[in-house]
Amino acid sequence: MAGASGRSVAYDLPMSKLVRDLMRRDVISIPQTASIWELSRLLTERCISGVPVVDAQGDVVGVVSRADIVRCMQDLPRRRSQENGFYVEDDEIPPSASVRVADIMNRAVISAPSTATVSEFSRLMLAHRIHRILIIDGRKLVGIVTTSDILKTM
């Protein structure tokens, strides 16, 4: 890789470091029964881009992100009313009120053991084009590693 001077720069990346050493254990999740409005508020308030989805027992059942909300909102029909010859949005009931997280989440959860290396995680993220990998013990969520967590190790 070339540095600012154009010369090759070698980085000492801790790619052999174990994921358990950098995973976050205080994972923010959302119930599958929550509305996408509640999801949007959670992501915005916590400044995060996605979260694991859990059922009533706390088992992981999916993953959802801001991109899933945007895709969903594009597909929802807008309620419109005609006023003075113009169509205006009817904001009385937002279309997201009836859509649940379970309706838009990705059920294919990419997970890995906490004993995996940062290198293995990086390859998995690149292969699946994802920004977070869950650490699951059985069906229980025990941690999460994001691309930001990996970048912080550099």
Side-chain angles (χ1 to χ4, degrees), residues 133-154:
I133 296 180
L134 307 180
I135 313 300
I136 300 174
D137 184 7
R139 293 200 54 174
K140 299 294 181 194
L141 184 61
V142 296
I144 190 169
V145 175
T146 66
T147 49
S148 294
D149 297 325
I150 292 173
L151 290 175
K152 288 175 189 172
T153 67
M154 300 175 125

Side-chain angles (χ1 to χ4, degrees), residues 16-97:
S16 61
K17 188 173 188 173
L18 296 181
V19 167
R20 71 173 161 232
D21 298 328
L22 65 109
M23 74 179 194
R24 284 183 277 139
R25 289 170 174 79
D26 57 335
V27 183
I28 299 166
S29 62
I30 193 158
Q32 64 182 350
T33 56
S35 71
I36 62 169
W37 182 83
E38 292 169 308
L39 170 63
S40 179
R41 189 175 62 199
L42 173 70
L43 297 178
T44 302
E45 288 174 356
R46 298 295 185 112
C47 298
I48 54 178
S49 62
V51 290
V53 180
V54 295
D55 63 14
Q57 292 73 41
D59 294 341
V60 176
V61 294
V63 178
V64 68
S65 71
R66 291 184 298 204
D68 297 316
I69 296 171
V70 171
R71 262 190 299 280
C72 174
M73 295 306 292
Q74 283 184 309
D75 295 339
L76 286 175
R78 290 281 198 204
R79 291 182 3 162
R80 297 176 153 230
S81 59
Q82 193 169 10
E83 215 174 87
N84 298 329
F86 295 97
Y87 283 99
V88 294
E89 297 294 327
D90 184 354
D91 293 329
E92 196 171 302
I93 301 174
S96 60

